């Protein structure tokens, strides 16, 4: 009788071992790639998962693995920010209005889960925060005047070699010492201070800067006068790149870890990828600097690109998706499946206002 039970016992033990191995694989290999909202749900799976997800080492690992755009923080003039998720079931934040901060703020920039805001009080302090964990830090006052709409870029690149998050902010601002010139001030979390770079970029005329992006040690901003302003963080050098299809309405982003620009021409959306690896060795014309990667036309999507009466802007781009806003309606286009989804978002507090600020955001557990 005992011999007859042994095969069943062996099978049960084997299945149990297989289950344990699969459970460990999911916990160690799959969980770090999930956005924060999903992970908070999984805290209730079991005590082991709750303890594992709550550790600082897991938070660091998740910030390394979860890098896709989860949604956008958007804001109309004089109203609190709102969050527009790309996948509402898995991505979200508990307090999109950021009421946990000590004062009302305006969204300025973000990077891999860190959000930079600026206070609306007289002092106009900068704040860095994680909207998921509600951790925040008030930054010291810059030494230079950054103007009413600072061209800020947050630089946070999680590293396997450093479990303590280190980040920088860089602001391009109008020089007060030279006409038609741009200077740069950099904040470093390592020493908790601002420093004005010696680099100065001279231009033919004053022009506003659009939303900037950091790619491989260089920061880029689209310029209203159809140029792209670049700043090398290592060499502290600046260069003005010609780009006939840039301008302040051009969106800069990353595509396959390279700089890309997205612009709307007529009823088509173009995505161009930068060919040049070293911006200081650029000696050829614009046609040799960029390669046409993707073209989105009205026949491939229901985004109203061909409607001349609708204000259309590209607001987020990655290797997988492109997000376009048309009169406060958000559309997400997938480059792989060629499908378009309409994103749900709260109605603006005032119907005549549009979402002037749209900042891509990654749903990360990164700690400050």
């Amino acid at each position: 009788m005992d011999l007859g039970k042994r095969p069943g016992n062996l099978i049960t033990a084997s299945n149990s071992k297989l289950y344990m191995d699969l459970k460990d694989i999911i916990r160690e290999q799959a969980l770090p790639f999930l956005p924060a909202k999903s992970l908070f749900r999984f805290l209730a799976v079991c005590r082991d998962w709750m303890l594992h997800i709550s550790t600082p080492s897991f938070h660091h690992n998740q910030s390394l693995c979860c890098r896709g755009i989860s949604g956008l923080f958007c804001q109309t003039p004089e109203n609190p920010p709102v969050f527009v998720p790309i996948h509402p079931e898995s991505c979200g934040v508990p307090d999109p209005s950021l009421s946990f901060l000590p004062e009302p703020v305006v969204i300025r920039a973000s990077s891999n889960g860190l959000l930079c805001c600026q206070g609306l009080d007289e002092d106009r302090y900068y704040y860095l925060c994680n909207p998921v964990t509600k951790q925040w830090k008030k930054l010291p006052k810059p030494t230079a005047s950054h103007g009413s709409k600072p061209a800020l870029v947050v630089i946070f690149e999680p590293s396997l070699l450093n479990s303590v998050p280190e980040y920088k902010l860089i602001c391009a601002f109008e020089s007060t010492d030279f006409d038609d010139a741009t200077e740069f001030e950099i904040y470093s979390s390592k020493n908790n201070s601002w420093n004005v770079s010696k680099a100065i970029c001279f231009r033919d005329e004053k022009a506003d800067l659009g939303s900037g992006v950091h790619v491989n040690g260089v920061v880029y901003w689209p310029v209203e006068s159809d140029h792209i302003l670049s700043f090398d963080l290592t060499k502290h050098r600046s260069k003005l790149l010609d780009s006939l299809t840039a301008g302040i309405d051009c969106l800069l982003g990353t595509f396959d870890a390279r700089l890309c620009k997205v612009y709307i021409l007529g009823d088509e959306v173009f995505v161009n990828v930068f060919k040049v690896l070293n911006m200081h060795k650029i000696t050829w014309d614009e046609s040799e600097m960029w390669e046409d990667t993707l073209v989105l036309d009205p026949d491939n999507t229901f985004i109203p690109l061909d409607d001349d009466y609708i204000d259309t802007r590209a607001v987020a781009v990655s290797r997988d998706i492109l997000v376009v806003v048309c009169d406060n309606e958000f559309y997400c286009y997938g480059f792989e499946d060629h499908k378009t989804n309409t994103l749900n978002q709260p109605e603006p507090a005032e119907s005549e206002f549009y979402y002037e600020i749209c900042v891509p955001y990654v749903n990360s557990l990164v700690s400050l």
Side-chain angles (χ1 to χ4, degrees):
M1 186 176 288
D2 290 339
L3 291 174
K5 288 185 177 180
R6 285 179 183 172
N9 289 339
L10 289 174
I11 292 174
T12 302
S14 177
N15 286 342
S16 176
K17 185 177 185 302
L18 178 63
Y19 169 75
M20 291 298 292
D21 290 344
L22 180 60
K23 184 184 72 171
D24 293 339
I25 290 172
I26 293 175
R27 188 187 69 173
E28 300 296 332
Q29 304 298 326
L31 288 184
F33 289 90
L34 297 179
K37 181 179 178 180
S38 295
L39 292 171
F40 281 133
R41 288 180 180 175
F42 292 153
L43 289 172
V45 170
C46 64
R47 185 173 184 273
D48 183 39
W49 277 28
M50 180 188 70
L51 295 175
H52 180 68
I53 293 173
S54 302
T55 60
S57 60
F58 179 83
H59 293 179
H60 175 65
N61 195 24
Q62 191 261 357
S63 69
L64 285 167
C65 300
C66 184
R67 307 292 286 271
I69 298 174
S70 307
L72 298 98
F73 271 94
C74 305
Q75 196 166 15
T76 60
E78 300 181 2
N79 290 302
V82 299
F83 183 64
V84 180
I86 293 176
H87 302 290
E89 300 82 8
S90 59
C91 302
V93 294
D95 183 6
S97 66
L98 307 180
S99 62
F100 58 87
L101 293 175
E103 61 174 303
V105 296
V106 58
I107 303 293
R108 291 302 181 198
S110 78
S111 177
N112 292 315
L114 292 184
L115 194 65
C116 179
C117 314
Q118 187 175 26
L120 294 175
D121 289 351
E122 183 179 354
D123 291 327
R124 306 285 285 176
Y125 277 104
Y126 293 127
Y127 297 90
L128 271 180
C129 70
N130 183 336
V132 171
T133 62
K134 298 184 180 180
Q135 290 181 321
W136 59 274
K137 178 180 180 179
K138 183 178 179 180
L139 303 189
K141 283 285 269 187
T143 58
S145 173
H146 293 175
S148 59
K149 292 184 178 181
L152 273 173
V153 174
V154 182
I155 303 170
F156 170 58
E157 299 293 340
S159 170
L160 279 171
L161 303 178
N162 190 358
S163 59
V164 178
E166 293 185 1
Y167 44 87
K168 293 181 178 180
L169 272 71
I170 178 168
C171 184
F173 63 94
E174 185 179 319
S175 175
T176 56
D177 298 323
F178 303 95
D179 293 334
D180 301 335
T182 300
E183 295 189 62
F184 308 90
E185 187 166 19
I186 303 168
Y187 168 85
S188 171
S189 64
K190 207 168 185 179
N191 49 26
N192 192 34
S193 64
W194 291 88
N195 286 290
V196 177
S197 171
K198 295 181 179 180
I200 301 176
C201 183
F202 292 92
R203 294 183 279 164
D204 294 335
E205 58 184 8
K206 292 181 180 180
D208 292 332
L209 302 181
S211 179
V213 64
H214 168 249
V215 187
N216 298 326
V218 182
V219 184
Y220 302 89
W221 294 266
V223 185
E224 189 177 31
S225 56
D226 294 334
H227 291 81
I228 293 177
L229 176 65
S230 64
F231 178 82
D232 189 314
L233 287 161
T234 302
K235 299 180 179 179
H236 280 243
R237 296 180 186 175
S238 179
K239 190 177 185 71
L240 198 61
L241 311 177
D242 289 330
S243 181
L244 300 178
T245 51
I248 199 168
D249 291 329
C250 170
L251 172 69
L252 297 183
T254 57
F255 194 96
D256 286 338
R258 291 187 291 167
L259 175 70
C260 75
K261 64 177 179 178
V262 183
Y263 60 97
I264 300 173
L265 190 60
D267 58 0
E268 293 180 313
V269 180
F270 293 86
V271 180
N272 296 160
V273 178
F274 203 39
K275 295 180 182 179
V276 185
L277 297 179
N278 188 335
M279 70 173 185
H280 301 295
K281 294 183 179 180
I282 297 173
T283 57
W284 49 84
D285 60 33
E286 186 199 9
S287 63
E288 295 176 322
M289 290 166 51
W290 302 89
E291 63 182 42
D292 293 333
T293 302
L294 297 163
V295 178
L296 176 62
D297 62 60
D299 294 334
N300 292 332
T301 177
F302 58 78
I303 301 175
L305 299 172
D306 52 356
D307 193 331
D308 295 334
Y309 298 97
I310 293 181
D311 178 34
T312 303
R313 294 175 295 143
V315 291
V317 64
S318 69
R319 180 62 183 83
D320 303 319
I321 62 167
L322 171 69
V323 181
V324 175
V325 60
C326 306
D327 285 352
N328 284 338
E329 291 291 333
F330 288 82
Y331 302 89
C332 181
Y333 176 80
F335 291 130
E336 299 294 334
D337 58 13
H338 305 290
K339 292 183 179 179
T340 303
N341 295 315
T342 303
L343 303 183
N344 297 323
Q345 78 279 345
E347 290 293 329
E350 300 290 342
S351 58
E352 68 269 19
F353 289 152
Y354 74 99
Y355 289 116
E356 181 178 320
I357 297 172
C358 295
V359 175
Y361 167 74
V362 176
N363 210 198
S364 171
L365 291 172
V366 59
S367 300
L368 280 169

